[in-house]
Every structure is written in C-alpha cells, then in structure tokens.
C-alpha cells in the first residue's frame, strides 16, 4: 500500500510479507493509520477528519496479487476493471471536504464495490470484533458462519417462511380487528356501484351529449344559417331573378370554354372553374340536407339535459377527473375491492390455514437449525479449546450453550413451544471454564483480561480457518497478554501464516519476533511539522525495535540480548 496525507502519515509505502507481517511502533505513532488505510481500500467509511492538516485529500493505493479466477478478480472484471500482471490495483481518495472516490483496475467505481471485493479478500479481526463477540447475538452469527451451509441453507428457507408468516399474521389481524370498518367500506362501495349501475353510463357519453345539447340549443340559428348559405350558393326558389354563386361560376366557365382553344392557359383555368362548380353544387346539397335533418325538437333537448344532469351527479361523487370515464374506472376498482371485502370470511379461512402450515414448517426448520448449530458448536468448542492449549491455557475448556426460551405462542422445538425470531429459536452463548473444577461461565465474566484476549484470539483464529479469504488482519488482539502467553500467541499466528497472509498490529515483542517481516511506524518532528513514516526493519534495526518494545529504550544491553534470543527462538520454532 501507498499512504499519502492520512492522519500523521505524510507519504509512506507499506510492503506486506506474503506470510506474517508485524506492524509495531510507539503509541500514537500512527499504527492505527495502517489499519485505517486498509479499511479505506476495503470500502470503509470516509472521514474527512482523517485528511492530514494542510492537505487537499488523503490517498490510499493498494496492489493486491490474486489469481485471475479468484472471486474478487471476477467481480472486478464485471465492473470493467483489468488485472495488471496478475495484480488488482485499487485506490481510494478522501477529500478534506468529505468527497470520496474509488478506482479499481484503472476504472472509476462506486465505493460499494470495494466492500463487495473485501468480502473475498480480507478478514479483519480486532478489539472491536472482540467486544462484539461478547454479545450473544453476535456469537450466534459467528457460529452460523462457522457452520457454513449446514446452517446457511435451512436458515435461508427459515427466513423466507418467517417473513411470510409475519405478513400473513399482519393481514389476519387487519381483517379480524377491522371487521366493522371493512363492513362499512363494503356498504359504501355497494351503494356507489348500485347508483352507477342505475344510470348505466357509457364511456365518452358525457362529451357526446355536451355537443348534442349545444347543437339543439341553437337549432334555429343553425337552420337559418344553413338556408342562407344554400340560397347564396344554389339560388332562392321564391326569387327566380336572384343571382347565386352557381350561376356566376357557370357563366365564368362558359366564357373560358368559348376561347380555351386559343390559349392552353385559359383552358387549364376553365377546368379548375369547372371543378369549383362541382364543389359548390356538393356543398349546396349538403347544406340543404343539413337544414332538412336538423332536429329542433324541444323534447329531445330536455331529455339530453336530464341525462347530462344524471351523469354530472355521478362525476361529482365518483369521478375524480370529472368525466364519465373516471366514474367507470372508480366502478371497476370498487368492484374489485368489494369482491375482496365480501370474501373476508373465505380469506380468513385461507390465511388461518396458511398460518398454521407456516408454523409447522417453521417448527421443522427451527429444529433443523438447532441440530445443525449443536453439531457445529461441538466442533467449534473443541477447536477453540485446542487453540487455547496452544496459547498457554492447557486446562481451559470452552463450551457453547444453545438454549431456547419457552413461549406458549411459539413454535415447536424438541417437543416444546419456544420463542422464535428471524434467525430461529436459538440463543447462543460462549462459556469458559478456565481451569478444572470451574463452572463454565459466559466468557465476559469467566476470564481475566489476559485470558479474555487469548480466548478471543483463539476464537478469531478458529473463525479465520473457516473464512475463505487469503488475508487476515489482527489489530492488537493480543492486548492484555504477556510473558509465555505472548510467545504462544506469536507462535500461533506464525502457524496460521503458513497457509495465509497474516498482518498483525502489535505492541508485544514476543509476537513481533515471529513475523516474517516487521514494519516500524515511526513519528518524527522537525519542530513545526509532525509526520510518521513506515520502515521495513531488518538486521540491527529490527533488534533495536524489539529492544525498545522489551525495555522501553533500544540501547539496553540486556534488552538487546533478550531481543536476539527472541528472534533466534522464533526462527528455530518456525
């Protein structure tokens, strides 16, 4: 990784070993920034307060080597990224204003993609995770992850049935508790539908009646206008001497016809005037027919207005758009809703039967989940107990208590009704008996500070073995451990590093001595600016840092001897 302008780190390159890398340094030197940098590359929250004072933005770049067929590589390529010689390049930029940008394989991507890739790349185990694992709910989730498909498959089926049962229960409660309201709603719908059915509106009828009323209301004016226009075009039978348009056009046509042979241009105009005469005759005929067919019956006008009044009453009550079409739409929706309300009794019967069936299904699935968790808990407890023996707690025993709370309204598990939730009916709790004869107690209460750290590290290591990821980050999970136990912690992490990449932020020299590579995060101050850098320690420099971690200063002769002894013992052990 390359880290720029992040917290106290101005510009640093972090080279992680393929095996075990230990990150050390004084308190406050910036070791946490290394963890934070990795968190940003994995899609963690971008906090503008992390940007170094005076810088415009913090930038973290990472190069992750992976197989082309690895899940993370496939997902990155789906997003348009490209591998660079077998490595995926990732960068994250956080501006001082709070804006965040991410790039994967040379392509700008949503920050959420980094989180998706992280699931297949790195498992982070730290003090925050330890505190979370003290909660029973988190312990159940951890056990389920350890059990893998044995729990995941029935849990998915259980979750689907549980959600459907909740939906059925809500609908049943609504139908039964709101029976009076639903009956009143049904009566109102029935009344409205009957009122609409009595009028029998037709789609578009209101617009047609409006046009007809307008025509009937002005029948005399329309007839007079049609007759006047007809007389102007075709003449007035009562006045044979009157000149009309047809006569004038006919005269013009005859005049041109007489001379059309002398000039083709006049011949063309004669033809057009002839067409005009035909058009005038047609219009005159239609005007005569219109005047004859015009209905001026006042009874018909009264009938139209009465029908319009009936339709208007419907549109005011049921037509949100003020039209008959809106009334018909309301009627269609109301009929469907009435059918639903009238079928309440039948629906209650159906829902009750479905509820009972779902409860039976949940009982079977909850029992399957319990059995799978009990089996996984036995394996898990044995694995953690074995790890504790490697961490200088040879007599400690870890067990997992899986229990249920009885509830008359619950589901059947082991032949008794118990409370259930979205993850089943089980309550899971890790118990520790630190020495023979001790009663198993919850790990938060049954272990001292040093013992708790070792127990939690053992738990984390076992979980790490069940995580299909190539890299594990442990952030000071060895807090509270010292002496021989610290040596055992280092030895166990080194063993884990044989099959995976392990990065550990630690303050223990016994742990750092087992690392394949040790990185020092060191703070410097030139009087005006404080900055931190990351250095790979080798040879004499590593001995000096281990001496500082052992005795508080690097020049102690006895501390140097002890540091050399630690390194030699760790190399011989590995």
């Amino acid at each position: 990784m390359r880290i720029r302008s992040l917290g106290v780190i101005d510009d640093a390159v972090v080279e992680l070993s393929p095996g075990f890398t230990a990150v050390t340094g004084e308190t406050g030197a910036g070791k946490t920034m290394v963890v934070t940098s990795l968190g940003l590359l994995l899609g963690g929250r971008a906090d503008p307060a992390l940007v170094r004072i005076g810088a415009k933005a913090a930038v973290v770049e990472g190069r992750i080597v992976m197989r082309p067929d690895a899940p993370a590589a496939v997902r990155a390529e789906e997003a348009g990224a490209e591998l660079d010689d077998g490595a995926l390049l990732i960068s994250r930029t956080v501006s001082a204003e709070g804006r965040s940008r991410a790039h994967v394989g040379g392509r700008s991507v949503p920050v959420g993609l980094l989180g998706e890739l992280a699931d297949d790349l790195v498992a982070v185990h730290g003090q925050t995770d330890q505190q979370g694992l003290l909660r029973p709910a988190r312990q159940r989730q951890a056990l389920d992850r350890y059990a893998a498909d044995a729990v995941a498959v029935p849990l998915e089926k259980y979750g689907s049935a549980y959600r459907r049962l909740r939906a059925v229960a809500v609908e049943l409660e609504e139908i039964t508790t709101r029976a009076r309201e639903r009956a009143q709603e049904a009566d109102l719908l029935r009344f409205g539908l009957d009122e609409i059915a009595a009028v029998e509106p037709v789609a578009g009828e209101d617009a047609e009646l409006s046009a007809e009323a307008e025509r009937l209301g002005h029948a005399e004016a329309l007839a007079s206008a049609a007759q006047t226009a007809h007389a102007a075009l075709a003449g007035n039978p009562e006045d044979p001497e009157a000149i009309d348009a047809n006569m004038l056009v006919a005269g013009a046509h005859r005049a041109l016809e007489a001379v059309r042979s002398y000039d083709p241009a006049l011949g063309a105009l004669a033809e057009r005037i002839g067409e005009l005469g035909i058009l005038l005759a047609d219009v005159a005929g239609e005007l005569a027919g219109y005047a004859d067919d015009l209905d001026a019956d006042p009874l018909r006008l009264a009938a139209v207005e009465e029908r319009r009044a009936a339709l208007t009453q419907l549109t005011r009550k049921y037509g949100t758009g003020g039209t008959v079409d809106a009334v018909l739409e309301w009627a269609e929706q109301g009929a469907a809703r009435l059918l639903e309300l009238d079928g309440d009794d039948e629906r209650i019967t159906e829902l009750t039967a479905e509820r009972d069936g779902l409860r039976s299904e949940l009982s079977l699935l909850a029992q399957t989940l319990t059995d799978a968790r009990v089996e996984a808990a036995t394996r898990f407890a044995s694995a953690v107990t074995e790890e504790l023996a490697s961490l200088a707690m040879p007599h400690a025993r870890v067990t997992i208590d899986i229990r249920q709370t009885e509830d008359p309204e619950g589901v059947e598990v082991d032949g008794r009704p118990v409370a259930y939730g979205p993850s089943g009916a089980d309550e899971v709790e890790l118990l520790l008996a630190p020495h023979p004869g001790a009663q198993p107690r919850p790990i938060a209460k049954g272990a001292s500070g040093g013992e708790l750290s070792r127990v939690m590290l053992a738990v984390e290591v076992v979980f790490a073995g069940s995580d299909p990821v190539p890299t594990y980050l442990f952030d000071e999970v060895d807090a509270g451990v010292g002496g021989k136990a610290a040596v055992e912690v280092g030895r166990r992490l080194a063993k884990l590093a044989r099959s995976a990449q392990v990065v550990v932020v630690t303050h223990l020299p016994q742990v750092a001595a087992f690392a394949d590579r040790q990185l020092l995060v060191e703070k410097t101050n030139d009087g005006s600016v404080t900055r931190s850098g990351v250095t790979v320690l080798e040879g004499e420099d590593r001995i000096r840092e281990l001496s500082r971690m052992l005795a508080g200063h690097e020049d102690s002769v006895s501390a140097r001897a002890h540091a050399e002894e630690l390194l030699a013992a760790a190399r011989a052990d590995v």
Side-chain angles (χ1 to χ4, degrees), residues 1 54 122 133 164 198 250 278 312 368 382 450-451 500:
M1 290 189 302
V122 181
L133 277 172
R164 177 56 190 162
I278 294 172
T312 299
T368 301
S382 176
E451 288 175 336

Side-chain angles (χ1 to χ4, degrees), residues 52-201:
R52 184 175 174 81
I53 296 175
K56 294 182 178 179
V59 181
V60 182
E61 300 167 305
R63 183 175 183 272
I64 304 176
V65 180
M66 63 181 67
R67 302 188 319 274
D69 60 345
V74 174
R75 179 67 187 91
E77 289 181 347
E78 290 175 352
E82 295 181 0
L83 291 181
D84 179 18
D85 192 22
L88 187 64
L89 303 180
I90 299 178
S91 70
R92 181 82 180 275
T93 302
V94 181
S95 72
E97 291 78 22
R99 292 188 299 273
S100 173
R101 298 194 307 275
H103 290 80
V104 175
R107 177 67 61 89
S108 177
V109 299
V111 173
L113 177 64
L114 301 184
E116 295 179 31
L117 299 179
D119 293 337
D120 298 313
L121 292 176
V122 181
V124 180
H125 304 277
Q127 291 178 316
T128 301
D129 300 284
Q130 287 188 4
Q131 296 301 317
L133 277 172
L134 296 180
R135 298 194 299 269
R138 176 70 173 82
Q139 292 173 9
R140 184 189 62 223
Q141 294 171 4
L143 178 63
D144 289 352
R145 187 182 68 186
Y146 178 80
D149 288 346
V151 166
V153 173
L155 183 59
E156 182 178 359
K157 296 178 180 178
Y158 176 94
S160 177
Y162 177 84
R163 289 188 294 273
R164 177 56 190 162
L165 177 59
R166 300 307 302 163
V168 168
V170 169
E171 187 175 354
L172 259 176
E173 183 178 2
E174 179 187 2
I175 293 176
T176 54
T177 59
R178 295 182 55 199
R180 177 176 297 180
E181 295 178 18
R182 293 169 70 90
Q184 292 174 346
E185 183 184 357
D187 287 341
L188 290 173
L189 286 172
R190 196 173 289 109
F191 175 83
L193 291 172
D194 289 344
E195 192 172 10
I196 294 173
V199 177
E200 295 182 341

